[in-house]
Amino acid sequence: MRYLPLTDADRKAMLAAIGVASVDDLFIDVPQAVRRDAPVELPPHASEYEVERRLTELAGRNLVAGSGPFFLGAGAYRHHVPATVDALIQRGEFLTSYTPYQPEVSQGTLQYLFEFQTQVALITGMEVANASMYDGATATAEAAAMACRITRRKSILLSGSLHPHYRSVTATALQFSGLTVEALDPDPLDLEDLIGRVGPETACVVVQNPGFFGRIVDLSALAAVCHDEGALLVVAVAEPVSLGLIEPPGAMGADIVVAEGQSIGNALNFGGPGLGLFATRERFVRQMSGRVVGQTVDADGRRGWVLTLSTREQHIRREKATSNICTNSGLCALAFTIHLALLGEAGLRKLAEINHAKAVRLAEKLQPVKGVRLLSQTFFNEFAVALSKPAADVVETLASRRILAGVPASRFYPSYPELDEVLLLAATEMTSEADMDSLVAALKEVLS
Amino acid sequence: MTKTISGSRGLTIEEPLLFEQGSPEQCGVDLEEPPAVVDRLGGLRRKAPIGLPGLAEPTVVRHYTRLSQKNFGIDSVFYPLGSCTMKHNPRLNEKMARLAGFADVHPFQPESTVQGALALIDLMAHWLKTLTGMPAVAMTPAAGAHGEFCGLMTIRAALEDRGETRTRVLVPESAHGTNPASAAACGFTVDPIPANRRGRVDLAALKSKLGPDVAAFMLTNPNTCGLFEDEILEISEAVHAAGAFFYGDGANYNAIVGRVRVADLGIDAMHINLHKTFSTPHGGGGPGAGPTVLSAALAPFAPLPGVIHDDTGFHLVEHAVGSGRKPCGRIKGYHGQFGVFIRALSYMMSMGADGLRQSASDAVLNANYLLARLSSDLTPSFEGPCMHEALFDDRFLKDSGVSTLDFAKALIDEGFHPMTMYFPLVVHGALLMEPTESESKETLDGFIASVQGLARRAKAGDGELFHNAPEFTPRRRLDETAAARSPVLRWSPAGGNGDKK
């Protein structure tokens, strides 16, 4: 078998050196009653080409996003990933290394994570960032818990603009923590009054910008009210490319910014793995969860990097740790940081401009279509429309024509019939004018 | 000391930060001009520059190539990091994960367009259930610790459904730190269970702590000392007799895969670290995946979403209403670590039922070979054979002036990644070595010779070699105390952590 180097002769010699007759003698601590001699009922080992054949067959049963007009977003965005990114992350010294606990032989990982932390702080407008978390949803839950630790309060308010998965993950994660999570109704028209709900019990308000339904909001007034009341403002960003064009949360007064980093450097991958970004103010850093890299010097006085502030973490603090998290999303963070290094200041800004302009073009083309009503007055690269028919049915009909038309809100909110006609549509640099025209033509037909 | 003016040596080239290179005019991507439109930003256009550097593509390629050369990886060195299972990462897995039909699929495409993706999750679940003998598996946990959280949440939901309030979780002292941290995150209090002199759970102590307020007992098996818990059937019986659930930490499942079924041990829930047992890359710290197998009693409480199969095809269950389930909630965005599943399944299919069983046998054989060959120079912590990892303590370094840390750092200069140090906590100055099944006898013999040589030099009083090690790495020992005292966590033009607001 190709992954196993030991030969039978090796095994025999090794057993002799150990002083036992067979490998079974090494398993003597396993109770006899549970030892299994026969292989389990699964196929035997297979050649590389056989595995390729079987998995390629499964892959062939999916409709590839890039095979036709495509307008899905809702927290996962289809951007171009430069070839350089994928080539570099597959270097074995990155791909096959462990968490950088031995800094002398991990300066490569540590330096790129330090650079990653800097990039995340810069784009979000914050002071410091950690070395990443599982995804945007779990990072949101960590942020809410952190806000409660900082304020010593227990009440968390989630805006209806927050991604429904971020909402449910936060509510699930904190359900037995003694904290209260109040989630406002989904809010495609931006009618909710967050400011009026902030009070002396509030630990934090969690909002998303741009919101789940597309809208971009100036959060400065909300931040000011939070701070007057001693609460924190947590801002989630589901599409970090937007940070190249719109005011970052840090500039609007956010105390913690979390984001899903997938859309920079990472493919869709059916939604996983993701990349949780997490940034905050320097004064809160000891309450932040997740791995962090810091600068220091070595025995010869040369600049270098180490994992630091580990006294917050589970391997030291056990049940008193800030979180049970033991891993980050290293390779996805590497893809993110390489893509952002390639883009740079000018590239990220221009990419964001293109995304916005494409979405505006799409909105302009859709607005005259009978049965389509634009709900989002402001947006970045994604907006909500109300259709004259249930959005899920329309999406299904268009999928049969190989047009992936967007995400129906009812997928997340089946118990809100008022959202049945709401459809989210996204455009990126990958969306062509011809794609838009195909969508418009198909919608005209289906909605007539 | 620095041997050259620049600090570069051999193949290791000094490399400044991204932010210390390039110029704002440079860019590593070519983008078209955006169509001319009137913006709909509502006046919220970014005002200040971001502050990112601009770099052309060749500069970026060289930067990351040079950084990679400052890392040890399994591809380049033997990496016997105990409890982390640094086995070979097949490149076939990477190729499969990059098939457009997997990588370029959106999580919210209509079900009819993602039948292959759902079939893959279902097939992966089938392999995990068959290998463990468990009836159900929650596929969405993103990592081992997240799997613990998932399992404990499921247990908590099941207890509430029964109308029982149980507040304590029992955890052995030798457990990974994530166990108590996960229990705390689920609102339980944590009660430690001591180890006996044989490095196993003290059964009498466990029994004395079990009671009507105990929700679960968490056990890593084989445990973090590399030993199989030989009283596991008595443990599971006692836990269940007390009305508690038995959580298995599957971090060391690679030692028994194909040889022991988890269900036969009486375990109710166990996460499986796909990057350990099933060869997906550690990637410098993730992404991982921690699918959690569940007993029939816990299955209805698994978090959403789940994949089901009927005669119309595969379906995603994303909502509790009408599903017949009582989910503990949702613990992760989307549908789990899909890209990691592909890699793991590619490995499982390659190894097959026979190969997986052989991998456990070879992993245990390799560890026992290290244990046997190093026993006279080092001090094994416990008697008898080990499972997939060999544990030593620092008695062999007594009075040498050399610590476990020094010893590990000296191994770096010998061309090996150190073993795990100071874990588990139940022995003094632990050195935990896990060779995995990926290593040849030649590699192990080379490692054994180096370890023996170092042990003899330590005992001979050659302390300076150890205190100065490592000497040949891109950086020598780093000052971790200074890093934590006044943390610098990012680059900024003026130094420090940027503007204070």
Side-chain angles (χ1 to χ4, degrees):
Chain A
M1 273 175 262
R2 61 186 183 275
Y3 302 150
L4 300 177
L6 293 186
T7 63
D8 282 341
D10 290 334
R11 292 184 182 109
K12 213 172 148 191
M14 293 165 77
L15 288 167
I18 296 165
V20 294
S22 78
V23 167
D24 291 343
D25 294 338
L26 301 175
F27 285 84
I28 48 166
D29 291 329
V30 179
Q32 190 72 49
V34 301
R35 288 189 218 167
R36 293 182 69 84
D37 294 327
V40 288
E41 295 282 313
L42 287 166
H45 68 277
S47 65
E48 191 161 329
Y49 48 88
E50 173 63 15
V51 175
E52 279 196 44
R53 191 188 62 74
R54 281 191 252 162
L55 288 174
T56 304
E57 188 276 317
L58 277 183
R61 287 195 236 161
N62 297 320
L63 180 58
V64 175
S67 64
F70 174 88
F71 302 91
L72 278 74
Y77 299 90
R78 184 167 185 272
H79 291 288
H80 183 256
V81 179
T84 300
V85 173
D86 204 38
L88 288 172
I89 70 166
Q90 288 193 76
R91 286 193 61 94
E93 306 92 326
F94 288 139
L95 187 76
T96 75
S97 57
Y98 191 64
T99 303
Y101 289 132
Q102 297 292 326
E104 301 88 348
V105 289
S106 312
Q107 285 297 302
T109 298
L110 289 161
Q111 183 171 337
Y112 87 64
L113 288 175
F114 184 80
E115 294 170 343
F116 168 84
Q117 289 172 187
T118 307
Q119 288 172 326
V120 172
L122 286 170
I123 63 172
T124 55
M126 302 301 283
E127 289 159 13
V128 292
N130 72 14
S132 81
M133 299 184 130
Y134 304 139
D135 67 359
T138 53
T140 304
E142 292 284 347
M146 172 175 155
C148 294
R149 289 195 296 274
I150 292 168
T151 59
R152 296 172 189 275
R153 296 179 182 179
K154 295 189 168 182
S155 179
I156 297 158
L157 181 62
L158 305 183
S159 160
S161 71
L162 188 60
H163 192 293
H165 284 186
Y166 299 14
R167 287 157 60 100
S168 48
V169 168
T170 302
T172 301
L174 303 181
Q175 63 186 315
F176 302 123
S177 60
L179 308 174
T180 316
V181 179
E182 184 189 359
L184 301 182
D185 286 336
D187 185 30
L189 298 175
D190 194 29
L191 301 173
E192 71 186 10
D193 171 26
L194 288 169
I195 287 178
R197 290 171 182 269
V198 181
E201 305 291 305
T202 311
C204 65
V205 178
V206 186
V207 299
Q208 181 174 313
N209 207 33
F212 181 68
F213 296 98
R215 184 179 299 259
I216 306 169
V217 180
D218 184 353
L219 301 167
S220 310
L222 175 62
V225 170
C226 285
H227 297 155
D228 285 349
E229 293 284 354
L232 302 188
L233 177 62
V234 177
V235 180
V237 179
E239 168 52 298
V241 173
S242 68
L243 298 171
L245 187 60
I246 64 176
E247 272 291 80
M252 299 192 219
D255 298 288
I256 305 173
V257 180
V258 293
E260 172 53 65
Q262 170 271 325
S263 79
I264 297 179
N266 290 276
L268 290 169
N269 289 321
F270 198 46
L275 170 64
L277 310 184
F278 196 107
T280 188
R281 302 289 173 201
E282 189 179 18
R283 64 179 180 276
F284 298 140
V285 75
R286 285 176 200 273
Q287 289 299 333
M288 179 168 71
S289 49
R291 193 171 288 166
V292 193
V293 174
Q295 185 173 306
T296 188
V297 292
D298 80 347
D300 294 330
R302 294 176 296 176
R303 180 174 70 174
W305 289 276
V306 292
L307 290 177
T308 192
L309 300 177
S310 56
T311 48
R312 302 162 300 126
E313 293 188 69
Q314 48 75 27
H315 61 280
I316 308 288
R317 295 273 284 167
R318 299 178 78 86
E319 67 270 20
K320 295 188 184 67
T322 52
S323 163
N324 71 331
I325 284 190
C326 172
T327 186
N328 66 349
S329 203
L331 213 54
C332 303
L334 177 61
F336 177 98
T337 194
I338 296 172
H339 192 182
L340 203 47
L342 286 164
L343 285 166
E345 178 86 20
L348 181 61
R349 297 183 80 128
K350 192 167 180 185
L351 179 66
E353 288 280 4
I354 295 169
N355 271 259
H356 181 58
K358 296 261 187 179
V360 172
R361 287 290 294 151
L362 179 61
E364 287 171 353
K365 285 174 186 276
L366 286 169
Q367 266 174 311
V369 177
K370 198 158 172 269
V372 178
R373 186 161 51 88
L374 185 68
L375 298 179
S376 317
Q377 301 311 306
T378 61
F379 56 84
F380 171 62
N381 68 353
E382 181 168 26
F383 51 82
V385 296
L387 303 179
S388 55
K389 291 182 175 171
D393 298 347
V394 174
V395 164
E396 199 61 52
T397 307
L398 267 59
S400 65
R401 302 179 189 189
R402 303 180 74 84
I403 296 174
L404 291 168
V407 184
S410 59
R411 173 140 187 185
F412 308 97
Y413 294 111
S415 54
Y416 288 82
E418 66 270 29
L419 297 178
D420 280 355
E421 283 79 34
V422 175
L423 179 67
L424 294 173
L425 290 143
T428 71
E429 73 282 4
M430 307 291 271
T431 314
S432 70
E433 289 276 323
D435 292 339
M436 299 183 201
D437 293 338
S438 303
L439 175 71
V440 168
L443 277 177
K444 277 182 178 161
E445 207 179 304
V446 171
L447 295 174
S448 65
Chain B
M1 290 303 291
T2 304
K3 301 286 199 295
T4 63
I5 294 162
S6 66
S8 301
R9 57 172 81 170
L11 288 170
T12 309
I13 313 290
E14 284 296 302
E15 179 63 13
L17 290 166
L18 281 176
F19 308 93
E20 296 159 347
Q21 304 184 46
S23 69
E25 299 78 48
Q26 292 176 8
C27 187
V29 292
D30 291 319
L31 296 162
E32 84 235 36
E33 288 308 312
V37 295
V38 178
D39 83 50
R40 303 210 188 179
L41 299 172
L44 290 168
R45 184 174 281 271
R46 181 185 261 278
K47 295 185 191 75
I50 308 165
L52 296 170
L55 306 163
E57 184 178 301
T59 315
V60 171
V61 170
R62 188 163 291 160
H63 179 73
Y64 290 100
T65 302
R66 287 179 172 181
L67 291 190
S68 74
Q69 290 170 326
K70 299 173 199 293
N71 268 6
F72 270 9
I74 313 164
D75 281 2
S76 51
V77 297
F78 178 40
Y79 215 121
L81 200 58
S83 152
C84 300
T85 315
M86 301 302 285
K87 66 170 65 173
H88 173 59
N89 298 154
R91 291 311 193 274
L92 174 63
N93 303 353
E94 298 302 311
K95 183 179 179 186
M96 293 300 94
R98 285 167 172 79
L99 291 172
F102 291 141
D104 194 17
V105 177
H106 191 283
F108 300 133
Q109 286 181 209
E111 240 171 41
S112 58
T113 69
V114 295
Q115 286 296 300
L118 298 179
L120 184 132
I121 295 175
D122 189 67
L123 183 57
M124 179 78 195
H126 171 71
W127 276 75
L128 295 176
K129 287 186 289 186
T130 308
L131 285 167
T132 58
M134 299 288 276
V137 57
M139 291 296 287
T140 58
H146 206 217
E148 295 167 20
F149 179 76
C150 169
L152 291 170
M153 276 290 184
T154 306
I155 287 170
R156 181 125 191 189
L159 289 170
E160 297 213 336
D161 188 62
R162 280 192 208 160
E164 289 182 25
T165 308
R166 291 170 175 257
T167 55
R168 273 196 306 145
V169 167
L170 309 181
V171 180
E173 282 173 349
S174 64
H176 294 108
T178 50
N179 286 186
S182 296
C186 293
F188 293 115
T189 56
V190 178
D191 214 343
I193 303 294
N196 63 24
R197 278 184 302 171
R198 298 168 48 251
R200 273 99 172 168
V201 169
D202 184 330
L203 184 58
L206 171 66
K207 283 181 173 169
S208 74
K209 295 231 179 175
L210 282 167
D213 62 338
V214 172
F217 175 56
M218 300 180 82
L219 181 66
T220 310
N221 188 36
N223 67 25
T224 61
C225 300
L227 302 171
F228 197 90
E229 292 283 351
D230 49 6
E231 295 180 305
I232 188 154
L233 299 178
E234 291 81 356
I235 290 171
S236 120
E237 197 183 322
V239 169
H240 290 142
F245 287 98
F246 189 10
Y247 186 87
D249 179 328
N252 296 335
Y253 179 56
N254 54 301
I256 58 172
V257 59
R259 297 190 65 110
V260 177
R261 291 195 325 165
V262 172
D264 297 338
L265 303 176
I267 283 170
D268 295 294
M270 184 185 88
H271 72 264
I272 298 170
N273 308 73
L274 297 185
H275 48 285
K276 293 185 178 181
T277 303
F278 299 118
S279 86
T280 69
H282 286 72
T292 302
V293 289
L294 299 169
S295 64
L298 292 178
F301 305 97
L304 296 170
V307 174
I308 57 169
H309 186 206
D310 62 22
D311 49 12
T312 65
F314 294 94
H315 308 283
L316 258 180
V317 180
E318 295 184 285
H319 300 281
V321 178
S323 69
R325 304 176 182 214
K326 304 170 188 171
C328 64
R330 168 184 278 279
I331 62 167
K332 170 93 178 63
Y334 315 115
H335 324 310
Q337 303 286 69
F338 182 71
V340 183
F341 300 161
I342 303 162
R343 290 170 173 86
L345 189 59
S346 160
Y347 171 82
M348 292 163 127
M349 286 176 160
S350 295
M351 294 295 276
D354 52 339
L356 290 171
R357 181 181 166 88
Q358 188 65 49
S359 76
S361 304
D362 283 0
V364 170
L365 177 60
N366 276 352
N368 278 284
Y369 185 64
L370 286 186
L371 182 64
R373 294 281 316 274
L374 292 174
S375 280
S376 50
D377 288 289
L378 271 55
T379 38
S381 299
F382 300 104
E383 281 183 15
C386 62
M387 297 297 284
H388 62 299
E389 53 196 353
L391 177 62
F392 302 91
D393 53 45
D394 62 1
R395 282 173 294 157
F396 76 103
L397 294 171
K398 191 166 183 289
D399 302 326
S400 68
V402 175
S403 68
T404 292
L405 179 75
D406 298 329
F407 195 83
K409 297 295 186 194
L411 261 178
I412 294 175
D413 280 340
E414 297 289 322
F416 299 107
H417 193 283
M419 66 291 280
T420 291
M421 300 175 282
Y422 302 107
F423 182 84
L425 309 175
V426 293
V427 303
H428 197 269
L431 300 93
L432 185 64
M433 300 177 188
E434 180 176 9
T436 83
E437 70 279 9
S438 304
E439 300 302 333
S440 66
K441 180 169 178 294
E442 293 89 330
T443 299
L444 299 183
D445 286 337
F447 176 73
I448 288 163
S450 286
V451 172
Q452 288 172 334
L454 286 174
R456 288 164 199 171
R457 290 180 75 167
K459 289 171 191 169
D462 197 354
E464 198 160 332
L465 172 128
F466 292 91
H467 301 144
N468 289 334
E471 296 231 43
F472 308 122
T473 43
R475 288 292 179 271
R476 294 183 55 220
R477 284 197 212 183
L478 291 123
D479 189 341
E480 301 192 13
T481 312
R485 196 184 307 124
S486 45
V488 175
L489 307 179
R490 60 170 284 191
W491 174 88
S492 73
N497 290 324
D499 303 333
K500 307 293 184 293
K501 295 186 181 90

